[in-house]
Amino acid sequence: ADSWLPTLKTDTPEQGFQLAIKMSRMGVKTAQPNMDVLKKGRAEYSNDAEDLIQVSHVVATNFATVAAANNYWK
Amino acid sequence: ADSWLPTLKTDTPEQGFQLAIKMSRMGVKTAQPNMDVLKKGRAEYSNDAEDLIQVSHVVATNFATVAAANNYWK
Amino acid sequence: ADSWLPTLKTDTPEQGFQLAIKMSRMGVKTAQPNMDVLKKGRAEYSNDAEDLIQVSHVVATNFATVAAANNYWK
Amino acid sequence: ADSWLPTLKTDTPEQGFQLAIKMSRMGVKTAQPNMDVLKKGRAEYSNDAEDLIQVSHVVATNFATVAAANNYWK
Amino acid sequence: ADSWLPTLKTDTPEQGFQLAIKMSRMGVKTAQPNMDVLKKGRAEYSNDAEDLIQVSHVVATNFATVAAANNYWK
Amino acid sequence: ADSWLPTLKTDTPEQGFQLAIKMSRMGVKTAQPNMDVLKKGRAEYSNDAEDLIQVSHVVATNFATVAAANNYWK
């Protein structure tokens, strides 16, 4: 099957940010593959300011990795 | 459409800090695009000391990436 | 006995992500080896949006290490 | 107007630590510019052990950036 | 007396992970040397999914340092 | 007056760990200089497993900086 993460390489910082979001989501999906549970969870965190701040923190941590992998798109 | 993150390059550390804030906000907006929900969330976190400290932590994580991307504006 | 972590080297980013998940799990298992307790814990965190976000944050931190170890699979 | 963050350069590690504190505070102030709200928030977090530990964590994250920017004052 | 942390050097990644666990424990023990308190604390966190996830996050942070110190055991 | 942080240089990893603890404490003391408040806070966090884990996380973040500053005492 195709890999969901064939490379860390992206053409632009914005694509890199999208990849960081995907990695953050996969960090959850691999721990909890059940879509119903994930949908219920989404309803919770997506309406909770504190949770959304934590989501942004995970994206920031993954984006740091993607940015370094792309040499900051210099 | 124009990208909201065309580059990580900024002229000054302060602009880099502003970009880190923008990235932190986008980390929330991409998870929750609904403006009404975001406004309600802002009313919550912006009056909560603990949440504001977490916001600053996300900005610090993103600023570390932007600073490295700009070679610390040496 | 064979080591569960003989190397940080992986062929692809996706395998690197799997290794980061394994390292995150071992970070818990070494602190709490009792399988019954772990199973009960899994039932808790795997149905809690906030906990799943924290799990993703640990995976992101470990993935950063694995990605650097593999020179970002350039 | 003068920038509050003209440079990441400081002469000593202690000044670097002071800058990291200033950056951590600005991470809050940019999210919540209202001084009354900030004063109320200070009364809360400055008497809460958990919050003070989180404040120290944000300072540590910003200090890592400032220290790298100054090549660890070698 | 012998140092508990004479070096960051380890022969294998698994030993590096063990060292990261030891460093994480010492981060607690230096803050709270009283064994009775630590035992009571262990009973708490080792049965709490959220706490075990945080423990894994501290180990991941320390492991990143040990892995870099050993040049990722390349 | 003498600086509490004249340098990040230490002779050994253990001294580096001690410095990371001192930096973590100063991150709190600069935010809350009142000793009575700090003593009350200590009584709280030093008997709370979760808080002690967070303390260890701050020490780990500061130790990463000190270790890099000392080139991992290679």
Side-chain angles (χ1 to χ4, degrees):
Chain A
D2 286 345
S3 161
W4 67 272
L5 191 60
T7 174
L8 297 182
K9 191 100 200 51
T10 70
D11 295 335
T12 67
E14 183 164 350
Q15 289 171 345
F17 199 83
Q18 292 301 336
L19 181 56
I21 291 169
K22 186 173 166 184
M23 289 159 67
S24 305
R25 288 201 177 122
M26 285 305 284
V28 169
K29 271 187 77 171
T30 40
Q32 174 53 282
N34 180 316
M35 289 310 288
D36 298 333
V37 172
L38 290 179
K39 278 207 193 79
K40 194 170 70 62
R42 177 162 166 80
E44 275 164 55
Y45 81 77
S46 62
N47 289 292
D48 181 305
E50 252 167 59
D51 290 351
L52 287 168
I53 294 166
Q54 288 305 341
V55 163
S56 186
H57 204 174
V58 182
V59 172
T61 303
N62 279 316
F63 184 70
T65 304
V66 175
N70 286 276
N71 199 17
Y72 306 102
W73 300 280
K74 280 177 186 156
Chain B
D2 286 345
S3 162
W4 67 272
L5 191 60
T7 174
L8 297 182
K9 191 99 201 53
T10 70
D11 295 335
T12 67
E14 182 163 351
Q15 288 171 344
F17 199 84
Q18 292 301 337
L19 181 56
I21 291 168
K22 187 173 164 183
M23 288 159 66
S24 307
R25 288 202 177 122
M26 286 305 283
V28 169
K29 272 187 75 170
T30 41
Q32 175 53 281
N34 180 316
M35 288 310 288
D36 298 333
V37 172
L38 291 179
K39 278 204 191 83
K40 196 171 69 60
R42 178 164 164 80
E44 276 165 53
Y45 80 77
S46 62
N47 289 292
D48 181 304
E50 252 166 60
D51 291 351
L52 288 168
I53 293 168
Q54 288 304 341
V55 164
S56 185
H57 204 174
V58 181
V59 172
T61 303
N62 279 317
F63 184 70
T65 304
V66 175
N70 285 275
N71 198 19
Y72 306 102
W73 299 281
K74 279 177 187 158
Chain C
D2 286 345
S3 161
W4 68 272
L5 191 59
T7 174
L8 297 182
K9 192 97 201 53
T10 70
D11 295 334
T12 67
E14 184 164 350
Q15 288 171 344
F17 199 83
Q18 292 301 334
L19 181 57
I21 292 168
K22 186 172 166 184
M23 289 159 66
S24 306
R25 287 202 177 121
M26 285 304 283
V28 170
K29 270 187 77 171
T30 40
Q32 175 53 282
N34 180 315
M35 288 309 290
D36 298 333
V37 172
L38 290 179
K39 279 206 192 79
K40 196 170 69 61
R42 178 165 165 80
E44 277 165 53
Y45 81 77
S46 62
N47 289 294
D48 181 303
E50 252 166 59
D51 291 350
L52 288 168
I53 294 166
Q54 288 304 342
V55 164
S56 186
H57 204 174
V58 181
V59 172
T61 303
N62 279 316
F63 185 69
T65 304
V66 175
N70 286 275
N71 198 19
Y72 305 103
W73 299 280
K74 281 178 186 159
Chain D
D2 286 345
S3 162
W4 68 272
L5 191 60
T7 174
L8 296 183
K9 192 99 200 53
T10 70
D11 295 334
T12 66
E14 182 163 350
Q15 288 170 345
F17 199 84
Q18 292 302 336
L19 181 56
I21 291 168
K22 186 172 164 183
M23 289 159 67
S24 306
R25 289 203 177 120
M26 286 304 283
V28 169
K29 271 187 76 171
T30 41
Q32 174 53 281
N34 180 316
M35 289 310 289
D36 298 333
V37 172
L38 290 180
K39 279 205 191 81
K40 198 171 65 61
R42 178 167 164 78
E44 277 165 52
Y45 81 77
S46 62
N47 289 294
D48 182 305
E50 252 167 58
D51 290 350
L52 287 169
I53 293 166
Q54 288 304 343
V55 164
S56 186
H57 204 174
V58 182
V59 172
T61 303
N62 280 317
F63 184 70
T65 304
V66 175
N70 286 275
N71 197 18
Y72 306 103
W73 301 280
K74 280 178 186 154
Chain E
D2 287 345
S3 162
W4 68 272
L5 192 59
T7 175
L8 297 183
K9 191 100 200 49
T10 70
D11 295 334
T12 67
E14 182 163 350
Q15 287 170 343
F17 199 83
Q18 291 302 335
L19 181 56
I21 292 169
K22 186 171 164 183
M23 289 159 66
S24 306
R25 287 202 178 122
M26 286 305 283
V28 170
K29 269 186 79 172
T30 40
Q32 175 52 281
N34 180 314
M35 289 309 290
D36 299 333
V37 172
L38 291 179
K39 281 206 191 81
K40 196 171 67 60
R42 178 165 165 80
E44 278 164 52
Y45 81 77
S46 62
N47 289 294
D48 182 302
E50 251 166 61
D51 290 350
L52 287 168
I53 293 166
Q54 287 305 342
V55 164
S56 185
H57 204 173
V58 181
V59 172
T61 304
N62 279 317
F63 184 69
T65 304
V66 175
N70 286 275
N71 198 20
Y72 306 103
W73 299 281
K74 282 178 185 157
Chain F
D2 286 345
S3 161
W4 68 272
L5 192 59
T7 174
L8 296 182
K9 191 100 201 49
T10 70
D11 295 334
T12 67
E14 182 162 351
Q15 288 170 344
F17 199 85
Q18 291 303 337
L19 181 56
I21 292 169
K22 186 172 163 183
M23 289 159 67
S24 306
R25 289 202 177 121
M26 286 305 284
V28 170
K29 270 186 78 171
T30 41
Q32 175 52 282
N34 181 315
M35 289 308 290
D36 298 332
V37 172
L38 290 180
K39 280 206 190 79
K40 197 171 66 59
R42 176 163 167 80
E44 278 165 52
Y45 81 77
S46 61
N47 289 293
D48 181 304
E50 251 167 61
D51 291 349
L52 287 169
I53 294 167
Q54 288 305 340
V55 165
S56 185
H57 204 174
V58 182
V59 172
T61 304
N62 280 316
F63 183 69
T65 304
V66 175
N70 286 276
N71 198 19
Y72 305 103
W73 300 280
K74 281 178 186 157

